[in-house]
Amino acid sequence: MFTKILYKFSSSPLLTISLIGRSSVGKSSLFNKLQTGENVAITSNQKNITRDRKEAISEIFPLPIRFVDTAGIENVALKKILNPLQQKMLMQTINAIEYSDIALFVVDAKAGLTNIDHQIARWLKKTLSLTTPDPKLVNELKELEIKTNLKKAILVANKCENDAIFETDIDSQLKRMGLGNPIYVSAVDGTGFQDLLTKISENIPKTVHEEYQERKQKRKEKYKEIKDKCRAEMEEVIKEQSIEFDMKIWEKEFDLANPNPEDNSDLDDENIANPLYTKSPIQEKQGVSKENLQLRNPIMLSIMGRQNVGKSSLVNTLLGEDRVIADPTPGTTRDPISTYWVYKGQKIQLVDTAGIEPKPKIQTDLDLQILAKTRSTLRFSNVVVLLIDSLGAFREVDLELAQEIVKQGRGLIIAVNKWDIVDNDFKAKIVKYLKGQLERNLGEVPNCKLITISAEKKINIDQLMDQVIQVYDKWNTRISTGLLNDWLNKFKKIQSLPSEDGDKLKIRFIAQIKVRPPTFALFINQGSLFKTSYLKFLRKKLSEEFDISGVPIRLVLRDIAYAKEKKTLEKDNEMTVADLLLKRRRIARLAKQKLEKLKQKSQTNKQ
């Protein structure tokens, strides 16, 4: 059985700010503005474009802050909402508020206040004063319990690009709502945006800043610990094998592969939830506190694939509830949607993405935004489940998406959905065909994981999640330099190395310089001898030896002979190779100019 945590809980100790309000007040535009200029949320003139909540980390403040964009609220009384879709949208907004520290209540200053705005204001004031559930509020929301971290609500009046707005009594109307002085902004032209940033900054607790600086320092210490351990292993191997090698070359590669360690959350220590709290299906009353969950980072798991292959149905099956809108109509899911839960003691952030269709079918600006956002989700994923239809695999778009996942260095699992409707006589042939396609097209991921499932019938769902955790573990694999080189020496004895025109490839040694995905530096004598086919063969053998299948394995080739010659050249000339090249170009340019002058002088004399 699944061990689950509902999505009301936060994934990390980041300060969380939610944007709430009725439809079409500009929440998504403001949400985008609060990021780094990227269109994180999909925006359009159409109403109710935002259907589920979405999240993004903003870097425009001195510390990272999680912002949550929510669906427009049409009525705060759930029982009065007849449309099932709007009911689900309100539930998502309520759940976002539950783990938020601050709420930005956005209203449309141009259109003026409505009855819905006043309902939201009253609801927010009740929520801010809650220590135990308010019986009246519980009744209004069909006995939904609200326990919240919310400490502050900031009233934001959007669409104030025109000064004529202030000739109305909008200011007095907003102040009468009882949420303090409003901040007037325009998400379109940036008016008042600095005032909003200042207001948010004033409400960031001092303890949050202190915790962030402490976390950065711990990451730097962790990075130094890992680097020192790897350096000691390298030096031991070099000494044992009597290899002449400049350790500065290795240090440079290691630092290039792991830039800005203080900003790398991968270096945070605690990524696994405490199994003592997760032996049975989780309920808060059984002893799980939000602090326990917030101290640990989750596996970032994305569900991707073409439209209508069952992605939202799979998410809902995993969670046992309708977390995302699942509908046979293609394109129901528009934005990537995050859900937090726990499976067998491991915390998961589950992301359902919009379906991707072949490029000829992409026509509108909204389609392009959906495609761009789905692809950008890859940057923040750890493991991706690529869901394909058992009756329509592999299509070109499936392979293109799989290759993009591998290119981004993410753990990959191919899940073949709707397996229950496949005729038993054809199942073995289909699996053989799919594995052949993976072998031919995804050489960087030896033995890519493939599992057949049925999201609707709940077939092999536990096995799928077990594979997710296994792939995640392999994605984080770090192998000692000693073990790697013991394997390499055995490999060289039984496998012939490539040669060309009398020159033979020599692999001096191998060292891992990065995890997530596993990345190895191969120090060799001549890069031109290392052919693509041999690189693929070596990658496969490395994967089999250390059981790191299902994740991209990156091999970085470094020519020791070139590095040695470069160093000698720089030492002899007392300048870097770059400076030497610059000097040669300057000499060549001056020689060319002098030659032109001589030609001109010669022509003048002839005349």
Side-chain angles (χ1 to χ4, degrees), residues 51-102:
R51 293 176 172 177
D52 290 85
R53 71 178 187 272
K54 60 203 67 67
E55 304 179 2
I57 308 300
S58 175
E59 302 290 347
I60 62 176
F61 294 89
L63 73 168
I65 294 177
R66 178 191 295 107
F67 282 92
V68 184
D69 185 22
T70 64
I73 299 174
E74 299 299 330
N75 197 318
V76 297
L78 194 66
K79 62 185 178 182
K80 295 181 181 179
I81 301 175
L82 300 178
N83 187 324
L85 177 61
Q86 291 181 356
Q87 286 182 349
K88 292 179 181 179
M89 289 161 63
L90 176 59
M91 292 292 288
Q92 298 311 316
T93 299
I94 291 169
N95 286 320
I97 288 294
E98 286 191 54
Y99 68 78
S100 295
D101 301 283
I102 299 172

Side-chain angles (χ1 to χ4, degrees), residues 449 470 474 477 541-549:
K449 300 298 181 182
Q470 288 178 27
K474 292 174 182 180
T477 297
K541 292 299 180 183
L542 183 64
S543 168
E544 291 172 354
E545 177 69 20
F546 297 104
D547 190 25
I548 45 177
S549 58

